[in-house]
Amino acid sequence: MSGFASSGNKGNDRRFFFMHLMKTGGTSFAFQLRKHFDNSEVFPCQGIDSRDLTDVAVYASVRRLLRTSPERRADIRVYTGHFPFIASQMLDPDLVTLTLLRDPVDRTISLLKHFKRLSKHFAPMPVEEIYEDPFVFAQFVENHQTRMFAVTETDNLDAFGSANDYWGTAALLGFNPGVSEDNQAPGVVDLDRAIAAAKEVTIDEQRFETAKQHLEMVDVVGLNEHYDAFIDELRRRFGWWPSGLNTAGRANRSDEAWGAPDALRIRIAEDNRFDMELYEHAHQIAAQPRPRASTAKATPAAKVAPARKAETNDRPRKASAPPVPVEHGRNRLRAEVRAKHPRFLEALRADAKTALTCRSERRRFRGRVDAAMQIVRLMCVSDAFLAQVCYRAKARLQALGVPMLPRVFHRLAIMIAQVNIGDPVVIRPGVYIAHGQTVIDGFTEIRRGVIIAPWTTIGPVAGNHRGPIIGRNVQIGTGAKVLGPVVVHRGARIGANAVVVRDVPANTTVLGPPVRHVPPVATP
């Protein structure tokens, strides 16, 4: 490409910014960068940018990055780190940007193994339970790649889009006892307050469009699955590693034999819808290498869109598929629902942990025996939890195709606490049903962290079998009704006796009757 000169020429002032997304192969690439550039030319450099080997905050703190002195910036040829894309624009819009993306399911499983391998806290846990950790999920899993591209200058630019500094984050993950970035003094991290403060960027359609636009501004987009092609593209465009590069040895890989069941893979794909779409968009960009746009107003998307449209119009149209029989469609939909049901023990453990947290009793288990004892105790003291166990047994038996027994457990749940949950309902692990008297029906999905008060109804309206989707950490008050194919987004609160028939934005409160939306209030 004529617009790029070889960085092997020391007189060339072309500088680069590598946006390192976690568990995409970025650590290996950062090591290989140092095979072409001097150590002092790569940020961060040990002894210059970082205080010591434990000073890992320099890899993720945008605040530290922007405080780099002009004298130091003059020596840097490549910036690396876990920074959002907007950091490159704030640092210097003329930087040549590079990044690697990875299939969201594979990236997440590798991340879970990484935490299990390195953290004493997560070491004894199965990967499914690590996935359920609220801090891990919110900060490192859910649409993480999209979030790093969707961050703007008006957002909190701390590490991983969180209000925590990097050291507080590491302490929450069990990597160290917790130190302050500024004074490095050991301290105790308050888990509840830290999680409450970690207000991650919530991805919606508008944020997703921002992420796509930022991704299209990246000069070289690589895919972990085609790592060698990414290296070859850099050699061709910038003249790096003129004698070749051995990419067989990769750093920081998660090759452990810890399994990831198919049910977890399905959940990851569902919970990371925006990441899945962004990854497909990255495939399109990587397949069409192009020089950097000469002006900020002319985006790459605007340039390639007409060509894609023309290419689409030239394709012969496929013959329409024959209509699917109604009964066949129902069976397929029923099979999809059953495939979404979590494993019995995994769901039970997460439900118990959420119940204990909501009852202000405890937040963690001290091992598997302790978890089993707490589950049994909750079944004895809470009729609603016992009914929820019956529902979990019914759902799992249905998923396994066992006849008759699911009906028995369904009736038991109704008799014990008047908990009536229909067959098409999918309830993710970690839901708390308080006191029972609950009806949930239709093709409804309830996600982790939802709290359901008594005398509530969640389901479809007449003439439509589709029910609501209740997002994470939603609270549904006593006597509330959520009806129809609506989406109640993360963190919303449904007040007592409210009737919801329209979508509810994230972190808002719905009061009624009559129903009215209350905007979120910032908490200190």
Side-chain angles (χ1 to χ4, degrees):
M1 299 291 178
S2 59
F4 300 92
S6 169
S7 66
N9 180 5
K10 293 294 183 179
N12 192 331
D13 60 354
R14 177 70 69 181
R15 296 182 301 147
F16 302 84
F17 184 97
F18 173 59
M19 182 181 170
H20 181 181
L21 301 173
M22 291 188 66
K23 305 308 293 181
T24 60
T27 301
S28 299
F29 181 67
F31 281 123
Q32 286 153 354
L33 279 174
R34 286 175 167 82
K35 296 180 181 179
H36 181 76
F37 295 94
D38 294 336
N39 276 336
S40 61
E41 294 180 316
V42 181
F43 177 94
C45 177
Q46 175 67 31
I48 299 178
D49 305 302
S50 57
R51 301 182 178 110
D52 52 50
L53 290 175
T54 64
D55 185 15
V56 290
V58 71
Y59 289 93
S61 173
V62 177
R63 180 177 52 176
R64 285 272 295 274
L65 175 68
L66 297 180
R67 286 206 306 245
T68 307
S69 68
E71 295 78 15
R72 172 61 182 140
R73 293 188 189 186
D75 295 332
I76 297 173
R77 300 292 303 283
V78 186
Y79 293 89
T80 65
H82 299 299
F83 304 116
F85 173 80
I86 196 63
S88 67
Q89 306 300 294
M90 298 173 66
L91 191 65
D92 184 351
D94 290 330
L95 291 170
V96 179
T97 49
L98 324 167
T99 194
L100 278 164
L101 287 90
R102 187 177 183 182
D103 175 81
V105 176
D106 291 338
R107 189 201 77 87
T108 300
I109 292 172
S110 179
L111 176 82
L112 298 176
K113 291 182 177 181
H114 179 78
F115 287 163
K116 181 177 174 65
R117 182 175 72 250
L118 298 182
S119 170
K120 293 181 179 179
H121 170 65
F122 292 125
M125 298 183 183
V127 291
E128 299 96 322
E129 186 174 348
I130 301 173
Y131 183 79
E132 289 297 330
D133 184 273
F135 190 75
V136 170
F137 184 89
Q139 298 300 314
F140 301 98
V141 173
E142 187 179 33
N143 296 310
H144 179 78
Q145 296 179 98
T146 304
R147 183 158 15 103
M148 296 297 279
F149 280 100
V151 172
T152 64
E153 290 189 48
T154 59
D155 295 315
N156 190 329
L157 297 177
D158 286 344
F160 310 110
S162 161
N164 292 322
D165 62 22
Y166 189 90
W167 290 110
T169 300
L172 288 173
L173 296 173
F175 292 121
N176 61 34
V179 296
S180 167
E181 179 185 339
D182 293 326
N183 57 30
Q184 295 186 307
V188 178
V189 175
D190 187 323
L191 182 63
D192 293 334
R193 293 189 62 184
I195 292 178
K199 297 296 184 182
E200 71 282 356
V201 174
T202 302
I203 302 300
D204 52 21
E205 294 294 342
Q206 183 176 355
R207 287 278 192 180
F208 180 62
E209 289 303 317
T210 300
K212 287 174 63 177
Q213 293 172 12
H214 284 168
L215 179 61
E216 290 164 356
M217 293 171 64
V218 176
D219 296 294
V220 184
V221 175
L223 304 172
N224 176 275
E225 294 79 357
H226 304 292
Y227 184 80
D228 287 343
F230 175 66
I231 295 296
D232 290 342
E233 177 72 7
L234 296 175
R235 289 184 63 196
R236 180 179 66 83
R237 294 175 69 169
F238 309 129
W240 294 357
W241 313 292
S243 300
L245 182 66
N246 180 13
T247 60
R250 302 283 293 277
N252 203 20
R253 303 188 70 165
S254 300
D255 295 326
E256 296 83 4
W258 302 316
D262 292 340
L264 178 61
R265 289 180 173 273
I266 294 172
R267 288 183 57 199
I268 293 171
E270 293 173 348
D271 291 339
N272 290 272
R273 176 175 70 88
F274 288 113
D275 260 15
M276 299 294 285
E277 293 184 25
L278 188 73
Y279 181 67
E280 290 301 319
H281 193 58
H283 265 279
Q284 299 174 10
I285 295 174
Q288 299 181 5
R290 67 212 184 283
R292 190 177 190 177
S294 58
T295 62
K297 293 182 180 180
T299 63
K303 293 185 177 182
V304 300
R308 290 179 185 169
K309 183 177 181 181
E311 180 184 354
T312 303
N313 292 337
D314 290 340
R315 292 174 182 167
R317 294 186 178 181
K318 296 181 179 179
S320 58
V324 179
V326 174
E327 187 61 31
H328 176 73
R330 289 175 179 172
N331 291 337
R332 180 171 55 82
L333 189 58
R334 190 179 297 113
E336 291 178 357
V337 170
R338 290 182 177 181
K340 291 182 178 181
H341 285 306
R343 294 182 180 273
F344 180 70
L345 294 179
E346 170 197 353
L348 221 57
R349 186 182 179 110
D351 290 344
K353 186 180 293 186
T354 303
L356 292 171
T357 301
C358 293
R359 292 162 64 95
S360 300
E361 295 182 14
R362 60 197 302 183
R363 290 189 60 90
R364 300 186 183 278
F365 299 127
R366 290 186 290 270
R368 294 186 178 183
V369 174
D370 181 49
M373 293 177 62
Q374 293 301 320
I375 290 171
V376 172
R377 186 181 69 81
L378 283 171
M379 292 169 61
C380 295
V381 301
S382 171
D383 291 344
F385 187 81
L386 179 57
Q388 192 170 345
V389 173
C390 292
Y391 158 74
R392 293 294 188 193
K394 179 199 82 166
R396 188 57 187 161
L397 290 170
Q398 284 180 330
L400 295 174
V402 177
M404 297 300 295
L405 280 179
R407 293 295 97 203
V408 174
F409 282 106
H410 180 71
R411 293 296 180 185
L412 285 174
I414 296 175
M415 293 168 54
I416 293 169
Q418 300 180 42
V419 173
N420 190 337
I421 303 176
D423 294 346
V425 176
V426 175
I427 298 182
R428 298 298 189 187
V431 172
Y432 178 53
I433 300 176
H435 308 301
Q437 295 86 38
T438 301
V439 176
I440 309 173
D441 206 357
F443 288 95
T444 297
E445 182 173 345
I446 299 178
R447 294 176 179 170
R448 182 185 61 78
V450 174
I451 301 174
I452 304 174
W455 306 111
T456 57
T457 300
I458 305 170
V461 294
N464 191 339
H465 60 277
R466 295 284 182 179
I469 296 176
I470 311 297
R472 288 175 174 262
N473 303 321
V474 170
Q475 298 181 23
I476 302 177
T478 302
K481 309 291 186 291
V482 185
L483 306 174
V486 300
V487 178
V488 181
H489 291 276
R490 163 189 287 210
R493 296 183 178 184
I494 311 300
N497 297 317
V499 180
V500 176
V501 293
R502 292 184 300 174
D503 290 356
V504 179
N507 301 314
T508 58
T509 301
V510 176
L511 303 177
V515 169
R516 59 190 186 277
H517 289 249
V518 179
V521 178
T523 56

PDB file of all heavy atoms in Angstrom, residues 477-481 493-500 509-518:
ATOM      1  N   GLY A 477     -41.799  -6.091  41.112  1.00  0.00           N
ATOM      2  CA  GLY A 477     -42.477  -5.893  42.382  1.00  0.00           C
ATOM      3  C   GLY A 477     -43.739  -6.717  42.534  1.00  0.00           C
ATOM      4  O   GLY A 477     -44.247  -7.335  41.591  1.00  0.00           O
ATOM      5  N   THR A 478     -44.292  -6.683  43.728  1.00  0.00           N
ATOM      6  CA  THR A 478     -45.478  -7.470  44.073  1.00  0.00           C
ATOM      7  C   THR A 478     -46.661  -7.089  43.197  1.00  0.00           C
ATOM      8  O   THR A 478     -46.973  -5.909  43.021  1.00  0.00           O
ATOM      9  CB  THR A 478     -45.834  -7.240  45.547  1.00  0.00           C
ATOM     10  OG1 THR A 478     -44.723  -7.609  46.364  1.00  0.00           O
ATOM     11  CG2 THR A 478     -47.060  -8.050  45.952  1.00  0.00           C
ATOM     12  N   GLY A 479     -47.317  -8.105  42.644  1.00  0.00           N
ATOM     13  CA  GLY A 479     -48.515  -7.880  41.849  1.00  0.00           C
ATOM     14  C   GLY A 479     -48.289  -7.343  40.454  1.00  0.00           C
ATOM     15  O   GLY A 479     -49.256  -7.040  39.752  1.00  0.00           O
ATOM     16  N   ALA A 480     -47.054  -7.237  40.019  1.00  0.00           N
ATOM     17  CA  ALA A 480     -46.780  -6.684  38.694  1.00  0.00           C
ATOM     18  C   ALA A 480     -47.143  -7.680  37.601  1.00  0.00           C
ATOM     19  O   ALA A 480     -47.133  -8.898  37.809  1.00  0.00           O
ATOM     20  CB  ALA A 480     -45.304  -6.291  38.590  1.00  0.00           C
ATOM     21  N   LYS A 481     -47.452  -7.138  36.431  1.00  0.00           N
ATOM     22  CA  LYS A 481     -47.771  -7.949  35.256  1.00  0.00           C
ATOM     23  C   LYS A 481     -46.866  -7.497  34.110  1.00  0.00           C
ATOM     24  O   LYS A 481     -46.831  -6.314  33.777  1.00  0.00           O
ATOM     25  CB  LYS A 481     -49.239  -7.776  34.846  1.00  0.00           C
ATOM     26  CG  LYS A 481     -50.248  -7.964  35.975  1.00  0.00           C
ATOM     27  CD  LYS A 481     -50.308  -9.396  36.424  1.00  0.00           C
ATOM     28  CE  LYS A 481     -51.423  -9.603  37.443  1.00  0.00           C
ATOM     29  NZ  LYS A 481     -51.161  -8.941  38.743  1.00  0.00           N
ATOM     30  N   ARG A 493     -36.525  -1.692  37.046  1.00  0.00           N
ATOM     31  CA  ARG A 493     -37.325  -2.033  38.221  1.00  0.00           C
ATOM     32  C   ARG A 493     -38.799  -1.857  37.872  1.00  0.00           C
ATOM     33  O   ARG A 493     -39.221  -0.781  37.457  1.00  0.00           O
ATOM     34  CB  ARG A 493     -36.954  -1.145  39.410  1.00  0.00           C
ATOM     35  CG  ARG A 493     -35.511  -1.331  39.878  1.00  0.00           C
ATOM     36  CD  ARG A 493     -35.218  -0.494  41.098  1.00  0.00           C
ATOM     37  NE  ARG A 493     -33.857  -0.692  41.575  1.00  0.00           N
ATOM     38  CZ  ARG A 493     -33.362  -0.138  42.676  1.00  0.00           C
ATOM     39  NH1 ARG A 493     -34.127   0.661  43.417  1.00  0.00           N
ATOM     40  NH2 ARG A 493     -32.117  -0.377  43.034  1.00  0.00           N
ATOM     41  N   ILE A 494     -39.569  -2.908  38.082  1.00  0.00           N
ATOM     42  CA  ILE A 494     -41.005  -2.880  37.828  1.00  0.00           C
ATOM     43  C   ILE A 494     -41.697  -2.737  39.172  1.00  0.00           C
ATOM     44  O   ILE A 494     -41.584  -3.616  40.043  1.00  0.00           O
ATOM     45  CB  ILE A 494     -41.489  -4.159  37.119  1.00  0.00           C
ATOM     46  CG1 ILE A 494     -40.604  -4.469  35.907  1.00  0.00           C
ATOM     47  CG2 ILE A 494     -42.944  -4.021  36.712  1.00  0.00           C
ATOM     48  CD1 ILE A 494     -40.577  -3.400  34.859  1.00  0.00           C
ATOM     49  N   GLY A 495     -42.391  -1.629  39.363  1.00  0.00           N
ATOM     50  CA  GLY A 495     -43.024  -1.359  40.646  1.00  0.00           C
ATOM     51  C   GLY A 495     -44.210  -2.260  40.923  1.00  0.00           C
ATOM     52  O   GLY A 495     -44.727  -2.954  40.037  1.00  0.00           O
ATOM     53  N   ALA A 496     -44.688  -2.229  42.166  1.00  0.00           N
ATOM     54  CA  ALA A 496     -45.822  -3.052  42.576  1.00  0.00           C
ATOM     55  C   ALA A 496     -47.059  -2.696  41.760  1.00  0.00           C
ATOM     56  O   ALA A 496     -47.365  -1.511  41.536  1.00  0.00           O
ATOM     57  CB  ALA A 496     -46.092  -2.852  44.066  1.00  0.00           C
ATOM     58  N   ASN A 497     -47.749  -3.740  41.278  1.00  0.00           N
ATOM     59  CA  ASN A 497     -49.014  -3.623  40.546  1.00  0.00           C
ATOM     60  C   ASN A 497     -48.889  -2.932  39.185  1.00  0.00           C
ATOM     61  O   ASN A 497     -49.906  -2.630  38.564  1.00  0.00           O
ATOM     62  CB  ASN A 497     -50.065  -2.890  41.394  1.00  0.00           C
ATOM     63  CG  ASN A 497     -50.404  -3.645  42.667  1.00  0.00           C
ATOM     64  OD1 ASN A 497     -50.559  -4.864  42.639  1.00  0.00           O
ATOM     65  ND2 ASN A 497     -50.487  -2.930  43.788  1.00  0.00           N
ATOM     66  N   ALA A 498     -47.682  -2.705  38.722  1.00  0.00           N
ATOM     67  CA  ALA A 498     -47.520  -2.110  37.392  1.00  0.00           C
ATOM     68  C   ALA A 498     -47.854  -3.151  36.328  1.00  0.00           C
ATOM     69  O   ALA A 498     -47.621  -4.349  36.500  1.00  0.00           O
ATOM     70  CB  ALA A 498     -46.089  -1.608  37.205  1.00  0.00           C
ATOM     71  N   VAL A 499     -48.412  -2.677  35.209  1.00  0.00           N
ATOM     72  CA  VAL A 499     -48.726  -3.538  34.079  1.00  0.00           C
ATOM     73  C   VAL A 499     -47.854  -3.089  32.910  1.00  0.00           C
ATOM     74  O   VAL A 499     -48.020  -1.975  32.394  1.00  0.00           O
ATOM     75  CB  VAL A 499     -50.216  -3.470  33.701  1.00  0.00           C
ATOM     76  CG1 VAL A 499     -50.503  -4.382  32.501  1.00  0.00           C
ATOM     77  CG2 VAL A 499     -51.086  -3.873  34.891  1.00  0.00           C
ATOM     78  N   VAL A 500     -46.935  -3.943  32.499  1.00  0.00           N
ATOM     79  CA  VAL A 500     -45.957  -3.586  31.471  1.00  0.00           C
ATOM     80  C   VAL A 500     -46.322  -4.294  30.167  1.00  0.00           C
ATOM     81  O   VAL A 500     -46.384  -5.530  30.118  1.00  0.00           O
ATOM     82  CB  VAL A 500     -44.530  -3.989  31.910  1.00  0.00           C
ATOM     83  CG1 VAL A 500     -43.525  -3.711  30.796  1.00  0.00           C
ATOM     84  CG2 VAL A 500     -44.146  -3.256  33.181  1.00  0.00           C
ATOM     85  N   THR A 509     -37.162   2.823  36.141  1.00  0.00           N
ATOM     86  CA  THR A 509     -38.179   2.294  37.043  1.00  0.00           C
ATOM     87  C   THR A 509     -39.556   2.522  36.444  1.00  0.00           C
ATOM     88  O   THR A 509     -39.846   3.623  35.950  1.00  0.00           O
ATOM     89  CB  THR A 509     -38.087   2.977  38.416  1.00  0.00           C
ATOM     90  OG1 THR A 509     -36.783   2.755  38.967  1.00  0.00           O
ATOM     91  CG2 THR A 509     -39.130   2.427  39.369  1.00  0.00           C
ATOM     92  N   VAL A 510     -40.378   1.502  36.467  1.00  0.00           N
ATOM     93  CA  VAL A 510     -41.746   1.585  35.962  1.00  0.00           C
ATOM     94  C   VAL A 510     -42.688   1.514  37.150  1.00  0.00           C
ATOM     95  O   VAL A 510     -42.662   0.550  37.924  1.00  0.00           O
ATOM     96  CB  VAL A 510     -42.042   0.449  34.966  1.00  0.00           C
ATOM     97  CG1 VAL A 510     -43.503   0.503  34.536  1.00  0.00           C
ATOM     98  CG2 VAL A 510     -41.151   0.545  33.752  1.00  0.00           C
ATOM     99  N   LEU A 511     -43.515   2.550  37.309  1.00  0.00           N
ATOM    100  CA  LEU A 511     -44.461   2.617  38.417  1.00  0.00           C
ATOM    101  C   LEU A 511     -45.878   2.536  37.880  1.00  0.00           C
ATOM    102  O   LEU A 511     -46.147   2.882  36.745  1.00  0.00           O
ATOM    103  CB  LEU A 511     -44.276   3.924  39.195  1.00  0.00           C
ATOM    104  CG  LEU A 511     -42.868   4.196  39.754  1.00  0.00           C
ATOM    105  CD1 LEU A 511     -42.825   5.556  40.421  1.00  0.00           C
ATOM    106  CD2 LEU A 511     -42.467   3.104  40.727  1.00  0.00           C
ATOM    107  N   GLY A 512     -46.796   2.092  38.717  1.00  0.00           N
ATOM    108  CA  GLY A 512     -48.173   2.035  38.274  1.00  0.00           C
ATOM    109  C   GLY A 512     -49.066   1.448  39.345  1.00  0.00           C
ATOM    110  O   GLY A 512     -48.574   0.947  40.367  1.00  0.00           O
ATOM    111  N   PRO A 513     -50.369   1.404  39.082  1.00  0.00           N
ATOM    112  CA  PRO A 513     -51.006   2.068  37.944  1.00  0.00           C
ATOM    113  C   PRO A 513     -51.263   3.553  38.232  1.00  0.00           C
ATOM    114  O   PRO A 513     -51.384   3.913  39.395  1.00  0.00           O
ATOM    115  CB  PRO A 513     -52.312   1.304  37.798  1.00  0.00           C
ATOM    116  CG  PRO A 513     -52.628   0.816  39.189  1.00  0.00           C
ATOM    117  CD  PRO A 513     -51.311   0.619  39.872  1.00  0.00           C
ATOM    118  N   PRO A 514     -51.397   4.445  37.214  1.00  0.00           N
ATOM    119  CA  PRO A 514     -51.085   4.162  35.817  1.00  0.00           C
ATOM    120  C   PRO A 514     -49.569   4.051  35.632  1.00  0.00           C
ATOM    121  O   PRO A 514     -48.802   4.622  36.390  1.00  0.00           O
ATOM    122  CB  PRO A 514     -51.642   5.371  35.072  1.00  0.00           C
ATOM    123  CG  PRO A 514     -51.536   6.481  36.069  1.00  0.00           C
ATOM    124  CD  PRO A 514     -51.801   5.845  37.410  1.00  0.00           C
ATOM    125  N   VAL A 515     -49.145   3.338  34.579  1.00  0.00           N
ATOM    126  CA  VAL A 515     -47.724   3.093  34.350  1.00  0.00           C
ATOM    127  C   VAL A 515     -47.039   4.381  33.922  1.00  0.00           C
ATOM    128  O   VAL A 515     -47.526   5.122  33.080  1.00  0.00           O
ATOM    129  CB  VAL A 515     -47.534   2.007  33.272  1.00  0.00           C
ATOM    130  CG1 VAL A 515     -46.083   1.937  32.849  1.00  0.00           C
ATOM    131  CG2 VAL A 515     -47.989   0.668  33.810  1.00  0.00           C
ATOM    132  N   ARG A 516     -45.882   4.652  34.499  1.00  0.00           N
ATOM    133  CA  ARG A 516     -45.059   5.785  34.090  1.00  0.00           C
ATOM    134  C   ARG A 516     -43.593   5.415  34.315  1.00  0.00           C
ATOM    135  O   ARG A 516     -43.272   4.689  35.250  1.00  0.00           O
ATOM    136  CB  ARG A 516     -45.415   7.053  34.838  1.00  0.00           C
ATOM    137  CG  ARG A 516     -45.270   6.962  36.350  1.00  0.00           C
ATOM    138  CD  ARG A 516     -45.868   8.195  37.029  1.00  0.00           C
ATOM    139  NE  ARG A 516     -45.630   8.209  38.463  1.00  0.00           N
ATOM    140  CZ  ARG A 516     -46.381   7.564  39.338  1.00  0.00           C
ATOM    141  NH1 ARG A 516     -47.392   6.830  38.924  1.00  0.00           N
ATOM    142  NH2 ARG A 516     -46.113   7.637  40.625  1.00  0.00           N
ATOM    143  N   HIS A 517     -42.741   5.897  33.438  1.00  0.00           N
ATOM    144  CA  HIS A 517     -41.315   5.585  33.501  1.00  0.00           C
ATOM    145  C   HIS A 517     -40.592   6.661  34.290  1.00  0.00           C
ATOM    146  O   HIS A 517     -40.805   7.863  34.076  1.00  0.00           O
ATOM    147  CB  HIS A 517     -40.718   5.503  32.096  1.00  0.00           C
ATOM    148  CG  HIS A 517     -41.166   4.304  31.337  1.00  0.00           C
ATOM    149  ND1 HIS A 517     -40.326   3.277  31.018  1.00  0.00           N
ATOM    150  CD2 HIS A 517     -42.382   3.951  30.854  1.00  0.00           C
ATOM    151  CE1 HIS A 517     -40.988   2.351  30.351  1.00  0.00           C
ATOM    152  NE2 HIS A 517     -42.242   2.746  30.235  1.00  0.00           N
ATOM    153  N   VAL A 518     -39.738   6.235  35.188  1.00  0.00           N
ATOM    154  CA  VAL A 518     -38.912   7.145  35.966  1.00  0.00           C
ATOM    155  C   VAL A 518     -37.476   6.963  35.504  1.00  0.00           C
ATOM    156  O   VAL A 518     -36.951   5.841  35.535  1.00  0.00           O
ATOM    157  CB  VAL A 518     -39.034   6.859  37.473  1.00  0.00           C
ATOM    158  CG1 VAL A 518     -38.139   7.807  38.262  1.00  0.00           C
ATOM    159  CG2 VAL A 518     -40.481   6.978  37.912  1.00  0.00           C
TER     160      VAL A 518
END
